[in-house]
Amino acid sequence: MRIVVTGGAGDLGSRVVREATARGHDVVPASRRTGVDLATGDGLEDALLGADTVVHCADDPSRGDTVTVYATRRLADAAAAHDVHLVHISIVGIDQQPMTYYRRKLRAEQGIDAAGGPATVLRATQFHSLTAFFARRLSVGPFTVTIGDMAFQPVDTDFVARRLVDVAAGPRPTGYVRAPDVAGPDVLPIGEVARLVRAHRRASAPRVVRVPPLGRLMRAISESRNVPATGTADLGGLSFADWLATQPERLTGR
Ligand SMILES: NC(=O)c1ccc[n+]([C@@H]2O[C@H](COP(=O)([O-])OP(=O)(O)OC[C@H]3O[C@@H](n4cnc5c(N)ncnc54)[C@H](OP(=O)(O)O)[C@@H]3O)[C@@H](O)[C@H]2O)c1
């Protein structure tokens, strides 16, 4: 099967490329470094020629609507015109959290639906690396701040990549569908994430400072709407603790 992977050099996209290649597919990474700019459409038509599926992992949250919303719609229109199955990565709970980026991701999903071609949206929870980054950002010295009862169900990026390839190589839908959400095995309050991150760096457990959730955004975070309802998601991959054990002591990036 010929599978185009947008953002094929990114964190998630590179894992999708590796997994799909290992399964014997003909894989075409597509992003600006391979001559495909989804924000302008340059190289897009050529990239889709002869493709069965395109897995959309490209994004650039720093450019507002440009890539997340408009480039996704451009890709969805092109995929529909070429009758290529579009597989799109999205985020669990984006319809229940009033964050700007999440609203954009929701509009991206709506644009894909409106394009009318065969498309599957797979929503994942926060990746382990991003969750560790949040814990570091919410920590100062020995203190970690939690907004109300904020928690995560972080997921192993390689597990998400495997599920995306399962969907890409699986039965093709006739229109827009959602795959089961994917998440990691454990729900972790942010204080526990910070404790595991600090233990990984051989530091003592943090003192957790609870901030009351004031306003819509903080309430949404406090209510953990980023965590899938019990029994609804496809759970798997390395636990956060097992993932941490594979990481260098000094965590960097997100
Ligand atoms: N991180 C998480 O916790 C999480 C959770 C759930 C879902 N997701 C979703 O996963 C997706 C991928 O995230 P990631 O962290 O893997 O991203 P990433 O590492 O930043 O990679 C994104 C890639 O997009 C490409 N790109 C950017 N602008 C482009 C453009 N105009 N045209 C073509 N390609 C472009 C870039 O390649 P070039 O520079 O070569 O163009 C880059 O390699 C995102 O949609 C995100 O919402 C992430």
Side-chain angles (χ1 to χ4, degrees):
M1 186 176 265
R2 189 174 175 86
I3 301 177
V4 174
V5 183
T6 75
D11 182 15
L12 176 62
S14 60
R15 296 164 200 261
V16 172
V17 167
R18 211 162 38 239
E19 179 69 21
T21 304
R23 294 192 200 181
H25 297 292
D26 173 16
V27 182
V28 182
S31 71
R32 291 167 298 184
R33 73 193 70 190
T34 66
V36 179
D37 188 341
L38 295 172
T40 61
D42 289 349
L44 177 57
E45 294 293 324
D46 285 350
L48 291 181
L49 283 180
D52 299 291
T53 308
V54 55
V55 182
H56 182 33
C57 299
D59 200 1
D60 188 349
S62 71
R63 293 181 68 188
D65 287 349
T66 306
V67 180
T68 308
V69 182
Y70 300 140
T72 297
R73 179 60 195 262
R74 174 178 282 111
L75 174 66
D77 287 338
H82 286 264
D83 199 27
V84 172
H85 177 199
L86 171 61
V87 178
H88 173 71
I89 181 69
S90 193
I91 307 173
V92 170
I94 51 171
D95 37 7
Q96 300 184 53
Q97 299 228 35
M99 288 173 202
T100 308
Y101 179 57
Y102 284 11
R103 289 199 165 133
R104 290 195 181 109
K105 292 291 286 188
L106 187 60
R107 285 166 58 211
E109 290 185 359
Q110 290 162 348
I112 291 169
D113 191 5
T120 306
V121 169
L122 183 147
R123 292 182 179 179
T125 55
Q126 286 70 39
F127 301 162
H128 289 323
S129 52
L130 183 65
T131 308
F133 173 78
F134 286 152
R136 298 200 314 276
R137 286 298 292 267
L138 288 165
S139 299
V140 180
F143 300 101
T144 296
V145 172
T146 178
I147 300 170
D149 300 320
M150 84 189 285
F152 294 85
Q153 192 164 355
V155 68
D156 174 8
T157 316
D158 283 315
F159 175 63
V160 179
R162 290 199 293 277
R163 283 294 178 264
L164 285 169
V165 177
D166 291 344
V167 172
R172 176 193 170 87
T174 50
Y176 176 94
V177 296
R178 286 259 311 273
D181 294 348
V182 294
D186 306 313
V187 179
L188 302 171
I190 190 69
E192 177 62 5
V193 176
R195 187 191 69 75
L196 289 165
V197 168
R198 284 177 61 88
H200 182 68
R201 294 156 79 175
R202 299 168 202 277
S204 58
R207 292 176 60 185
V208 178
V209 178
R210 191 175 192 277
V211 173
L214 301 172
R216 243 158 42 92
L217 177 59
M218 283 172 85
R219 266 202 310 279
I221 291 170
S222 161
E223 289 167 5
S224 301
R225 298 184 201 163
N226 53 316
V227 170
T230 309
T232 60
D234 174 13
L235 309 184
L238 291 179
S239 68
F240 184 74
D242 287 346
W243 170 82
L244 263 181
T246 68
Q247 299 301 301
E249 188 173 318
R250 187 169 172 74
L251 297 171
T252 54
R254 40 196 312 176

